[in-house]
Amino acid sequence: MPNTALLHVSDVSKIFGATKALTDVSLTVNPGEVHSLLGRNGAGKSTLVNIIAGIYPPTSGTVTFEGEDIGERNIFERQELGIRLVPQHENSFPDLSVGENIFAGLLPVKNGLVDWATVTSVAEEELADYGLDVSPDTLVKDLSSIDARKLNIIRAMHGGAKLIILDEPTTALTNQEREELFEFVNELRAKGTAFIFISHYLGEVLALSDSITVLRDGLMFPVDENREVTEEYLGHLVAGEELALVRRAAPIEAKAVKLRADSVTNTELTNVSIDLHEGEVLGIVGFPGSGARAFCRTLFGLHPLTSGRIELNGLDLALTSPGDALRKGLAYISFDRHREGVIPTMDIDENIGISIHKSVLKRVLGFIDLKERKRLSNWYRDELKIKCNNVEESMDSLSGGNQQKVVVSRLLNTQPEVLILDEPTVGIDIKSRNEIISKVLELSESGMSTIYLTNDYEELLRVSDRLAFFDQGRIHTVMESKGLTIEALTEIRDQEQKAS
């Protein structure tokens, strides 16, 4: 690495009212380096990168870039210097073209009109240079998730970025898409671009990083470079306590079949048949479009059958709707908690209790037992360690991890016989993830059966008893997960895809 630092943050503190968000934080980023920033939600990561980007001024401390104190420079001036923030949530213009997005705010003008020929030619050149094989005329809303993430980085590079801050860039990406994004980042790193990389996934942090800074409660905790840096060690630094990653103690002994899919077919699935046993955790593996997610949603009545049947305890479910699935003992947690999980207009208590308003909480004349709802909400708050002052708080006051715990609580409130989890821990910190997984495994020991879909293969191997591999709407392989490594799982997945 070059000796001259690109970015140096020295003893930075930030106070918001009575809250001290950062205390004497220092870090250095060199050209061509990936510096990862770890911490639970609320640890101070966003505050720190907003200070670096020029969105917040520090209360004390200094930020220098290429040897210059940039404390007085605003966000636009810092962008001109080469500091670019790529936020977690989509910041492109979906109804504009790729070319228009690359030039956003900087469209070239000729004779008083936008010079579209230049937009197209320059965009084509930059897309080719950075290896994004799409047309400048393609609408951003028509891009895949991985291409949309790459476009955000290319926009930053077009603006002259020397340091790119990537905030949770792999959220909702598959393992293959993550690998593709990392390859893209590494190509830019080799040319001298530096990155600050924020992620909750410790495995990808270890794979990508040159250096790591951990924040906890606004304080910096250095990584000991003289010891082996493992996920468990990083998890301990993030959580502030010894944090053993929760694992399935041992595969379950064969028990009665709880759920049976028999030749399930619809527009996305073809003759899918598999048994799920009592207390079993069945892991689902498959690329987008493989049928893996469609299978989960079909089981919950979100996608209708054209043929085949789904049985629970030997009886045909004949589902008519997701509400029908809930009443009959199935619960589904969607991959998109913002659109299909959290109800932002309701408070925590209402979010947890709404799933049983028409059953457990229903009283004479249709009234809801609010006292019992609050009792149950407080029980789940304690059981899943939801961090809030009281259950009357709004959902917007919670971190992503705590919002997901509320969603899990709502579904567990129905006391399901089968729990279907679709990326249940995406975008949440390691401690919250551990607590959710721990609860799922605890309930499986009591007989609840679980279908677990995630593209975090390390997590999948920790929790599942068996794995079902999907491709082209079919199950191609079912096998025990015991003894499998991530590399072996990935190889089997890729072989199945090639074979089909």
Side-chain angles (χ1 to χ4, degrees):
M1 288 289 172
N3 293 324
T4 304
L6 180 67
L7 173 79
H8 186 60
V9 176
S10 179
D11 298 323
V12 161
S13 297
K14 181 64 179 177
I15 299 174
F16 295 100
T19 303
K20 195 161 190 178
L22 293 174
T23 303
D24 297 332
V25 172
S26 299
L27 62 84
T28 298
V29 182
N30 295 307
E33 178 183 16
V34 175
H35 189 112
S36 285
L37 197 56
L38 285 176
R40 298 187 68 185
N41 293 318
K45 304 186 302 297
S46 295
T47 301
L48 178 58
V49 297
N50 282 333
I51 287 173
I52 293 170
I55 297 171
Y56 299 153
T59 302
S60 61
T62 59
V63 179
T64 60
F65 190 75
E66 295 186 314
E68 176 191 349
D69 187 337
I70 58 172
E72 299 301 318
R73 292 183 178 266
N74 61 35
I75 183 172
F76 303 108
E77 292 169 330
R78 295 190 192 199
Q79 287 178 354
E80 290 179 2
L81 289 175
I83 300 174
R84 294 280 172 150
L85 171 62
V86 178
Q88 175 181 356
H89 300 293
E90 188 59 59
N91 69 332
S92 298
F93 302 98
D95 292 314
L96 297 182
S97 70
V98 168
E100 289 171 304
N101 270 269
I102 289 175
F103 279 87
L106 299 168
L107 287 170
V109 176
K110 185 176 182 180
N111 298 325
L113 299 173
V114 173
D115 184 356
W116 292 112
T118 297
V119 170
T120 299
S121 62
V122 172
E124 282 179 344
E125 183 179 338
E126 294 193 354
L127 291 168
D129 286 345
Y130 296 120
L132 182 53
D133 187 19
V134 299
S135 167
D137 298 325
T138 302
L139 295 182
V140 168
K141 65 182 179 183
D142 295 329
L143 295 180
S144 67
S145 296
I146 180 63
D147 286 346
R149 304 293 167 92
K150 287 183 178 181
L151 176 61
N152 282 335
I153 297 175
I154 291 173
R155 285 177 61 192
M157 295 302 295
H158 176 77
K162 299 175 183 177
L163 170 66
I164 298 176
I165 302 168
L166 297 177
D167 188 356
E168 295 284 353
T170 62
T171 299
L173 295 185
T174 67
N175 242 40
Q176 184 187 38
E177 288 172 332
R178 289 180 189 181
E179 291 167 9
E180 193 176 329
L181 180 64
F182 294 163
E183 183 179 344
F184 187 61
V185 167
N186 282 327
E187 289 172 358
L188 295 177
R189 171 167 62 175
K191 296 176 182 178
T193 305
F195 293 86
I196 292 177
F197 178 66
I198 300 175
S199 176
H200 288 304
Y201 295 104
L202 304 183
E204 64 186 31
V205 166
L206 288 173
L208 191 64
S209 307
D210 297 300
S211 54
I212 302 170
T213 293
V214 175
L215 292 178
R216 188 169 73 243
D217 298 327
L219 299 170
M220 184 182 69
F221 291 83
V223 172
D224 185 353
E225 296 180 356
N226 296 318
R227 60 161 292 164
E228 181 184 6
V229 180
T230 63
E231 290 190 41
E232 282 78 6
Y233 170 63
L234 290 178
H236 164 65
L237 284 180
V238 169
E241 59 191 73
E242 290 296 339
L243 188 66
L245 297 179
V246 175
R247 301 178 187 276
R248 186 71 150 159
I252 65 161
E253 296 180 7
K255 294 184 179 180
V257 173
K258 173 63 65 175
L259 182 78
R260 170 167 288 157
D262 183 11
S263 300
V264 167
T265 300
N266 56 22
T267 56
E268 297 180 78
L269 302 172
T270 303
N271 293 324
V272 173
S273 297
I274 193 167
D275 291 343
L276 175 68
H277 299 89
E278 180 183 341
E280 181 181 23
V281 179
L282 176 66
I284 304 293
V285 182
F287 290 123
S290 66
R293 173 157 295 140
F295 178 63
C296 294
R297 295 174 77 83
T298 297
L299 290 179
F300 193 60
L302 286 163
H303 295 177
L305 298 182
T306 54
S307 64
R309 57 191 275 147
I310 301 169
E311 299 176 355
L312 183 66
N313 298 319
L315 300 176
D316 187 357
L317 281 173
L319 298 176
T320 58
S321 67
D324 188 29
L326 269 178
R327 289 188 292 272
K328 291 178 177 177
L330 278 69
Y332 170 70
I333 295 179
S334 170
F335 67 99
D336 190 342
R337 69 171 173 268
H338 298 291
R339 293 185 180 181
E340 299 182 339
V342 171
I343 307 174
T345 56
M346 293 183 176
D347 62 28
I348 297 168
D349 181 29
E350 292 170 313
N351 266 270
I352 292 176
I354 193 171
S355 59
I356 53 173
H357 277 181
K358 296 182 179 180
S359 55
V360 176
L361 299 178
K362 187 176 181 179
R363 297 295 180 263
V364 178
L365 300 177
F367 287 103
I368 297 170
D369 189 337
L370 298 180
K371 184 177 180 180
E372 177 63 6
R373 187 179 74 181
K374 187 172 183 178
R375 185 191 71 79
L376 287 169
S377 296
N378 279 316
W379 187 86
Y380 278 108
R381 180 190 67 175
D382 296 339
E383 189 70 9
L384 282 174
K385 301 179 177 63
I386 300 171
K387 192 173 181 180
C388 62
N389 294 320
N390 58 70
V391 294
E392 285 82 27
E393 288 184 15
S394 71
M395 289 296 292
D396 289 341
S397 69
L398 300 182
S399 68
N402 285 298
Q403 287 183 349
Q404 187 71 335
K405 290 179 184 179
V406 170
V407 175
V408 171
S409 298
R410 178 197 308 147
L411 275 301
L412 294 182
N413 225 352
T414 66
Q415 298 186 340
E417 294 189 61
V418 176
L419 181 62
I420 306 163
L421 300 172
D422 185 349
E423 296 287 4
T425 63
V426 67
I428 63 176
D429 64 77
I430 185 168
K431 188 170 183 182
S432 296
R433 190 181 311 154
N434 228 29
E435 289 163 348
I436 289 172
I437 293 172
S438 180
K439 188 61 182 176
V440 169
L441 294 183
E442 175 191 324
L443 290 172
S444 73
E445 296 292 335
S446 303
M448 185 185 75
S449 303
T450 304
I451 291 176
Y452 203 103
L453 169 61
T454 179
N455 279 291
D456 185 335
Y457 294 156
E458 187 276 333
E459 181 173 298
L460 197 63
L461 291 174
R462 283 197 284 123
V463 303
S464 60
D465 299 303
R466 288 187 300 154
L467 298 174
F469 292 78
F470 275 79
D471 189 52
Q472 295 188 355
R474 300 174 182 268
I475 292 178
H476 288 270
T477 301
V478 179
M479 64 190 306
E480 289 190 2
S481 60
K482 183 180 180 181
L484 273 183
T485 63
I486 294 176
E487 291 74 20
L489 186 159
T490 303
E491 184 177 348
I492 295 167
R493 177 206 66 189
D494 293 345
Q495 286 175 348
E496 293 297 336
Q497 188 186 37
K498 289 178 183 177
S500 61

